[in-house]
Amino acid sequence: MAELNHSASCRCRVCGAPIEAFMSFGRMPIANGFLAASEIPSEYFFELAPAFCGHCGMFQIVEQPRPEKMFHAEYAFYSSTSRYMQLHFEKFALGVLEGVLKDRRDPFVVELGSNDGIMLRHFAAGGIRHLGVEPSANVAAAARARGVRTVSRFFDETAAREIRAEDGPADALLGANVMCHIPYIHSVFAGANTLLTPRGVLIFEDPYLGDIVEKTAYDQIYDEHAFYFSCASISALALRHELEVIDVLPQPVHGGSMRYVLARAGAYPVAEAVQRLRASEEALGLERPETYDRLRANVARSREELRALLLDLKRQGRRVVGYAATSKSTTVTNYCGITPDLVEFISDTTPLKQGKFSPGTHIPVRPHEDFAARYPDYALLFGWNHGEEIMAKERAFTGAGGKWIVYVPKVQVLG
Ligand code: JHZ
Ligand code: SAH
Ligand code: ZN
């Protein structure tokens, strides 16, 4: 395991208690920082090290690059690349429209991190007043092109105040895979307080700590994810802002996510699911330090097994190609030392990533056509969270004798 350096101990972003990393993934580049060859010499690195705050229960990384280094006019992740995710966000939007917004007159919906408009387009199509707050200018422009009203800025308390002054209070503030990205989370929660009507709701979902721990899904840990939430840590955070978790809804996406519904304390009854989830977190030991010692051991074992498998396939002269140049793959390739001698290229459908090199390990990223033109012997599934969708559309690959390699929840060859 990589040595920890001095940056690995600091203070919890939520409660200010001293925290210390329980492991380090070592030097890591920007997870979505796909590069041209000319950019390789000046590539940026930081130390990726997770910590658990025993005081307030918030799991977080101790060092995170500045938001502007990650979210900018060439942000490489476009939400709408997965058809399952399109369906997921259609259901999310309909649930909000038919649930909390049902009887409201002229409701107003704000979404943080609305990306290419994957969710808000359903509000736009229904003629609902809406606003996306999306700092990455390229994906914000893609949303606007679909008729989604979008401002390109980072959401915080100031943004909330300005939005309220211009558009009035919001009935719903939504966010998917964005709340866990924002290190100044108190400002976001304060902003929710500023922006929401008295019976307004804050609904957000992010990868769930329980799933990460149970499945050893360590690849969810990368620069963009400052936090890894549980019901316990979100409840403690909400309390500091006179908010309350009124419901929790597990989601199958991104390898296991949790949707949290928050409102002003006392405004709504609290669903039984909240207490049930808290109890399951206790049973899982999410608040115990030993749990993270075990996670560290499981992560190290996963690396050894994946490396051994790839080295063995190399010795046998097998062709291995990566499938989906996900953000998560940056943690896996860098931590496991997966370089172009082990994985020939990574197939990805995002034009912005194609023709570039993977962050840190510099594996070429190529269009899916290159994968289909000459199937490899093995495809290393970096998009394991989309496994069902991907395996269903790649039946011809397995039909031709191709095999999948997955590493969550354990290193395995399928097919
Ligand atoms: P996917 C991103 O994570 C980053 P990533 C972010 N931090 C986050 O939290 C989640 O999204 C929400 C490719 N792909 O969704 C396209 C194929 O090539 O697991 C994309 O480049 N073929 C905001 O990057 C990449 O996968 C396919 O058939 O880990 C997206 O990967 C499919 C389905 C995807 O997100
Ligand atoms: N909600 C989409 C996009 C997730 S990607 C989905 O689930 O697929 C995370 C997005 O959050 C990026 O587009 C990034 O630009 C945006 N983001 C990062 N910090 C933000 C902030 N402070 N306020 C609003 N959006 C932010
Ligand atoms: Zn804390």
Side-chain angles (χ1 to χ4, degrees):
M1 193 187 315
E3 288 299 308
L4 291 177
N5 71 26
H6 299 299
S7 68
S9 87
C10 64
R11 290 189 176 275
C12 169
R13 289 184 183 83
V14 170
C15 75
I19 51 170
E20 218 169 289
F22 62 87
M23 69 170 289
S24 176
F25 290 97
R27 228 168 64 105
M28 282 283 160
I30 300 290
N32 268 309
F34 295 88
L35 332 97
S38 63
E39 295 168 316
I40 289 175
S42 58
E43 191 168 14
Y44 174 88
F45 290 91
F46 73 104
E47 184 180 8
L48 181 67
F52 176 74
C53 176
H55 190 67
C56 76
M58 188 60 84
F59 189 109
Q60 55 202 287
I61 54 174
V62 294
E63 184 188 346
Q64 190 190 32
R66 281 185 305 108
E68 295 78 7
K69 268 201 142 4
M70 303 181 283
F71 309 113
H72 42 61
E74 284 177 85
Y75 183 52
F77 175 70
Y78 284 73
S79 297
S80 298
T81 44
S82 154
R83 293 193 59 78
Y84 274 40
M85 293 311 294
Q86 291 183 26
L87 215 65
H88 171 76
F89 285 117
E90 183 178 354
K91 281 191 274 181
F92 191 153
L94 290 182
V96 173
L97 277 168
E98 287 161 9
V100 283
L101 297 185
K102 195 157 184 279
D103 298 318
R104 308 223 181 172
R105 259 193 31 237
D106 188 25
F108 176 43
V109 178
V110 176
E111 190 192 351
L112 321 183
S114 42
N115 200 278
D116 59 10
I118 190 168
M119 173 143 70
L120 277 185
R121 72 192 179 98
H122 300 290
F123 294 94
I128 305 289
R129 282 198 303 134
H130 65 275
L131 181 68
V133 184
E134 174 46 70
S136 297
N138 58 329
V139 294
R144 273 186 223 109
R146 291 176 143 166
V148 174
R149 190 171 160 245
T150 308
V151 288
S152 197
R153 68 183 297 180
F154 287 93
F155 184 87
D156 60 8
E157 196 176 357
T158 308
R161 213 175 299 119
E162 289 173 14
I163 293 166
R164 186 180 174 120
E166 194 138 310
D167 291 312
D171 297 280
L173 180 56
L174 310 178
N177 307 298
V178 59
M179 193 62 84
C180 72
H181 293 58
I182 312 181
Y184 41 90
I185 197 161
H186 284 305
S187 178
V188 175
F189 270 59
N193 244 320
T194 302
L195 188 54
L196 289 173
T197 62
R199 288 182 58 79
V201 289
L202 166 63
I203 310 179
F204 62 91
E205 66 183 42
D206 288 284
Y208 179 55
L209 181 62
D211 286 290
I212 294 173
V213 166
E214 276 195 300
K215 299 173 188 164
T216 317
Y218 70 88
D219 58 347
Q220 288 292 0
I221 302 174
Y222 56 87
D223 58 355
E224 293 183 19
H225 294 166
F227 299 112
Y228 307 79
F229 300 142
S230 62
C231 188
S233 64
I234 288 300
S235 300
L237 172 61
L239 207 64
R240 292 170 170 258
H241 294 273
E242 289 99 43
L243 296 170
E244 181 174 46
V245 179
I246 58 167
D247 207 357
V248 285
L249 302 118
Q251 304 294 322
V253 297
H254 290 301
S257 293
M258 192 59 66
R259 186 177 301 166
Y260 304 90
V261 184
L262 278 71
R264 294 186 198 286
Y268 290 88
V270 175
E272 265 176 36
V274 177
Q275 205 35 56
R276 273 206 306 274
L277 186 60
R278 291 290 296 271
S280 82
E281 290 178 354
E282 259 176 51
L284 197 60
L286 287 190
E287 285 163 57
R288 284 201 301 270
E290 308 88 82
T291 300
Y292 303 101
D293 292 336
R294 203 160 55 239
L295 178 63
R296 179 180 56 227
N298 289 343
V299 169
R301 184 176 326 114
S302 177
R303 168 167 71 176
E304 291 327 306
E305 290 179 8
L306 184 58
R307 273 191 66 76
L309 173 62
L310 294 174
L311 286 167
D312 190 41
L313 293 175
K314 183 186 170 181
R315 260 192 305 273
Q316 294 176 35
R318 305 295 175 141
R319 278 185 71 219
V320 181
V321 162
Y323 197 103
T326 58
S327 319
K328 297 181 290 292
S329 71
T330 295
T331 295
V332 177
T333 53
N334 284 275
Y335 175 65
C336 301
I338 301 173
T339 40
D341 59 319
L342 297 178
V343 166
E344 196 178 305
F345 66 88
I346 306 175
S347 161
D348 195 280
T349 54
T350 312
L352 208 142
K353 297 181 186 177
Q354 296 163 357
K356 300 227 173 117
F357 295 92
S358 70
T361 47
H362 312 144
I363 303 168
V365 180
R366 303 230 189 103
H368 179 262
E369 290 71 30
D370 289 22
F371 174 79
R374 191 161 77 93
Y375 286 138
D377 301 306
Y378 293 81
L380 176 51
L381 187 55
F382 290 128
W384 56 268
N385 48 308
H386 300 300
E388 206 180 306
E389 173 177 3
I390 291 173
M391 288 180 192
K393 68 182 174 191
E394 298 294 357
R395 293 233 170 81
F397 163 61
T398 33
K403 291 185 168 54
W404 293 104
I405 300 172
V406 295
Y407 44 84
V408 175
K410 55 183 202 270
V411 175
Q412 252 176 312
V413 175
L414 309 173

